[in-house]
């Protein structure tokens, strides 16, 4: 049966990437103590075996120097203290490589499964952890049962491995008393190291079972309800009402910017009421006329209003207005197929300007605006 949250909803959904990332920030990551124990014991034993010659010779030199004390030093407390300090320093430097290897193994095996996670929240004391009822619940949970089984398995495996090692190496252990002291010390280090390796090898089986379980348990604890997934998607992508408000603001800003460009237009082509397109053409800087504003309905009415306020010529051409509206975006040049029709409109507008300033014959609006079939849009 799926786990339920506080609201009674079943956690049936796998944790999302955001959920896993948030959990890692809180220090909630997969960890395997068995993997850590196995790695330190096994690789530490291998390091001890590889360093047994160095450690044995160092220990032999230390024993030789401290068991051959000059007579005068025997009665000098200061000399004995100096010898003790020097011996402790020698031991520290002799064991330093081994301690360094073990420390690196401890850190590497700890972060190998879940990675590095430093979180102040996970280190904060929580009084809820002192609740005896919750403690009993953890003890009698599936995880508590598995921990008990692991402890029994480790006891049996380690106990059996230890007994087997003692049985197989008993002759070698007893033979140490017959060896030279220096060689016996080196051999003893090698025996201890190999014992560590044999015992730690039994923990590989426990780690192989514990690692997949810890990964499964970690994801099980982070499972989500469908409602939590939906809420996270809303928070990540933005709630619909917020997205709608942002789109409205963006639309308002774009329309305001578009309206500011209308006074620079040369002509506004209208439908006459449904569509309005403002065009601008600079012979020196433009290869073709560009659309500076376009709209339909209320936006078209505002374009016409702003145009009339700034004396921009309005030209009624329903087919051309629809053709430009559906084929060209704001800031783009009109397509080549509409060059001829727009050129006639602009020529009419420029002649009309001359007529208004200099007089003469009033130009007539071109009637034969041929619109290519691919740009023709039926009126809706």
């Amino acid at each position: 049966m799926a786990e339920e949250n506080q609201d009674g909803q079943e956690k049936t959904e796998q944790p999302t990437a955001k959920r896993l990332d948030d959990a890692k920030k809180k220090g909630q990551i997969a960890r395997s103590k068995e993997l850590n124990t196995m790695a330190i014991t096994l690789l530490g034993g291998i390091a001890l075996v590889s360093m047994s010659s160095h450690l044995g010779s160092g220990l032999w030199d230390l024993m030789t120097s401290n068991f051959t004390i000059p007579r005068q030093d025997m009665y000098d407390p200061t000399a004995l203290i100096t010898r003790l300090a020097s011996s402790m320093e020698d031991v520290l430097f002799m064991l330093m490589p081994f301690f360094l290897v073990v420390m690196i193994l401890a850190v590497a095996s700890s972060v190998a499964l879940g990675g590095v996670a430093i979180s102040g929240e996970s280190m904060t004391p929580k009084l809820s952890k002192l609740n005896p009822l919750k403690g009993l619940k953890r003890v009698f949970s599936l995880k508590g049962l598995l921990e008990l089984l692991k402890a029994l398995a480790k006891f049996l495996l380690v106990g059996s491995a230890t007994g087997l090692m003692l049985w197989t190496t008993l002759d070698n252990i007893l033979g140490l008393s017959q060896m030279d002291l220096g060689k016996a010390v080196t051999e003893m280090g090698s025996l201890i190291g190999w014992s560590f390796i044999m015992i730690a090898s039994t923990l590989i089986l426990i780690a192989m079972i514990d690692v997949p379980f810890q990964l499964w348990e970690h994801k099980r604890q982070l499972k989500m309800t469908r409602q939590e997934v939906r809420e996270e998607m809303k928070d990540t992508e933005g709630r619909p009402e917020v997205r709608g408000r942002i789109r409205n603001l963006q639309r308002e800003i774009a329309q305001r910017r578009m309206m500011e460009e209308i006074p620079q237009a040369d002509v506004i082509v209208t439908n006459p009421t449904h569509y309005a397109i403002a065009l601008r053409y600079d012979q020196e800087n433009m290869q073709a006329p560009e659309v500076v504003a376009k709209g339909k309905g209320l936006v078209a009415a505002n374009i016409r209003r702003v145009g009339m306020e700034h004396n921009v010529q309005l030209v009624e051409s329903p087919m051309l207005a629809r053709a430009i509206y559906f084929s060209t975006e704001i800031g783009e040049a009109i397509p080549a197929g509409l060059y001829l029709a727009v050129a006639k409109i602009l020529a009419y507008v420029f002649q009309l300007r001359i007529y208004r300033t200099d007089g003469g014959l009033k130009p007539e609006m071109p009637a034969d605006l041929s619109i290519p079939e691919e740009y023709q849009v039926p009126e809706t």
Side-chain angles (χ1 to χ4, degrees):
M1 181 177 178
E3 187 180 354
E4 297 182 351
N5 68 351
Q6 295 179 350
D7 299 330
Q9 298 180 348
E10 291 187 353
K11 296 184 176 181
T12 57
E13 307 302 313
Q14 292 297 324
T16 60
K18 183 178 183 300
R19 177 79 166 224
L20 293 172
D21 187 56
D22 290 343
K24 188 173 182 179
K25 291 178 181 178
K26 295 178 182 178
Q28 188 179 357
I29 54 179
R31 288 280 188 254
S32 174
K33 293 185 293 184
E34 309 307 326
L35 176 64
N36 188 259
T37 303
M38 183 272 295
I40 293 176
T41 310
L42 178 59
L43 299 179
I46 294 174
L48 185 61
V49 170
S50 62
M51 297 180 184
S52 59
S53 177
H54 164 71
L55 296 176
S57 61
L59 183 60
W60 170 251
D61 293 340
L62 189 65
M63 293 173 63
T64 301
S65 62
N66 282 284
F67 280 114
T68 55
I69 303 176
R71 181 180 178 83
Q72 61 272 19
D73 290 347
M74 295 289 292
Y75 302 97
D76 185 358
T78 304
L80 292 177
I81 293 175
T82 302
R83 276 182 169 272
L84 177 62
S86 178
S87 298
M88 292 178 64
E89 184 179 353
D90 292 340
V91 170
L92 181 62
F93 278 105
M94 180 176 62
L95 296 177
M96 185 67 70
F98 178 72
F99 289 155
L100 184 61
V101 169
V102 172
M103 184 178 67
I104 294 174
L105 290 174
V107 174
S109 60
S110 178
V111 302
L113 192 60
V116 180
I118 302 175
S119 172
E121 184 175 344
S122 62
M123 294 184 286
T124 304
K126 294 182 180 180
L127 296 179
S128 61
K129 293 183 178 180
L130 301 178
N131 189 335
L133 295 178
K134 289 187 176 180
L136 288 173
K137 186 177 179 180
R138 286 194 297 269
V139 170
F140 293 101
S141 64
L142 175 62
K143 187 174 182 180
L145 176 62
L146 187 67
E147 291 295 332
L148 176 61
L149 294 176
K150 284 195 302 182
L152 292 174
K154 283 193 292 185
F155 174 77
L156 292 174
L157 286 173
V158 173
S160 301
T162 303
L164 182 62
M165 282 296 300
L166 288 174
W167 179 262
T168 56
T169 60
L170 182 61
D171 293 339
N172 293 333
I173 294 174
L174 295 176
L176 293 176
S177 60
Q178 307 297 325
M179 297 181 183
D180 181 70
L181 184 58
K183 185 177 180 181
V185 170
T186 302
E187 185 66 21
M188 181 182 65
S190 179
L191 282 174
I192 294 174
W194 281 110
S195 299
F196 264 85
I197 293 174
M198 292 297 297
I199 294 172
S201 297
T202 62
L203 298 179
I204 295 177
L205 180 61
I206 302 296
M208 289 174 63
I209 298 174
D210 186 62
V211 168
F213 173 77
Q214 293 300 335
L215 292 172
W216 173 83
E217 175 69 9
H218 176 64
K219 287 202 171 182
R220 186 189 67 83
Q221 292 176 351
L222 296 179
K223 273 190 172 182
M224 307 168 68
T225 64
R226 293 183 178 179
Q227 181 62 29
E228 289 174 336
V229 174
R230 285 193 291 266
E231 290 295 326
E232 183 180 292
M233 290 180 64
K234 289 180 180 179
D235 292 337
T236 303
E237 300 177 2
R239 296 182 178 273
E241 57 271 20
V242 176
R243 294 202 306 270
R245 178 59 179 164
I246 292 175
R247 283 196 297 268
N248 289 335
L249 289 174
Q250 291 174 339
R251 192 179 301 113
E252 291 176 5
I253 293 172
Q255 289 183 3
R256 191 180 304 116
R257 189 181 300 115
M258 181 180 69
M259 293 300 175
E260 292 174 353
E261 295 292 328
I262 294 176
Q264 309 300 323
D266 294 309
V267 64
I268 296 176
V269 183
T270 65
N271 193 35
T273 57
H274 295 86
Y275 299 95
I277 296 91
L279 299 174
R280 180 176 59 195
Y281 180 54
D282 184 349
Q283 296 182 0
E284 295 181 357
N285 300 317
M286 296 180 183
Q287 295 182 351
E290 292 182 356
V291 176
V292 297
K294 74 172 188 175
K296 65 178 181 178
L298 183 59
V299 178
N302 288 332
I303 292 174
R304 293 195 302 271
R305 176 182 57 79
V306 175
M308 288 187 292
E309 289 175 356
H310 292 84
N311 299 318
V312 180
Q313 183 65 42
L314 272 65
V315 174
E316 183 178 333
S317 179
M319 289 188 63
L320 180 59
R322 290 195 300 270
I324 299 175
Y325 182 87
F326 288 104
S327 65
T328 313
E329 297 298 327
I330 298 173
E332 294 181 353
I334 63 171
L338 299 177
Y339 281 178
L340 181 58
V342 172
K344 291 181 179 181
I345 292 291
L346 289 175
Y348 165 73
V349 171
F350 294 150
Q351 291 172 6
L352 193 59
R353 288 178 185 174
I354 296 174
Y355 165 75
R356 288 172 178 171
T357 56
D358 300 338
L361 294 176
K362 184 178 180 179
E364 294 183 2
M365 171 66 188
D368 55 341
L369 294 178
S370 57
I371 307 298
E373 186 175 350
E374 64 267 23
Y375 294 106
Q376 293 181 10
V377 179
E379 186 173 359
T380 57

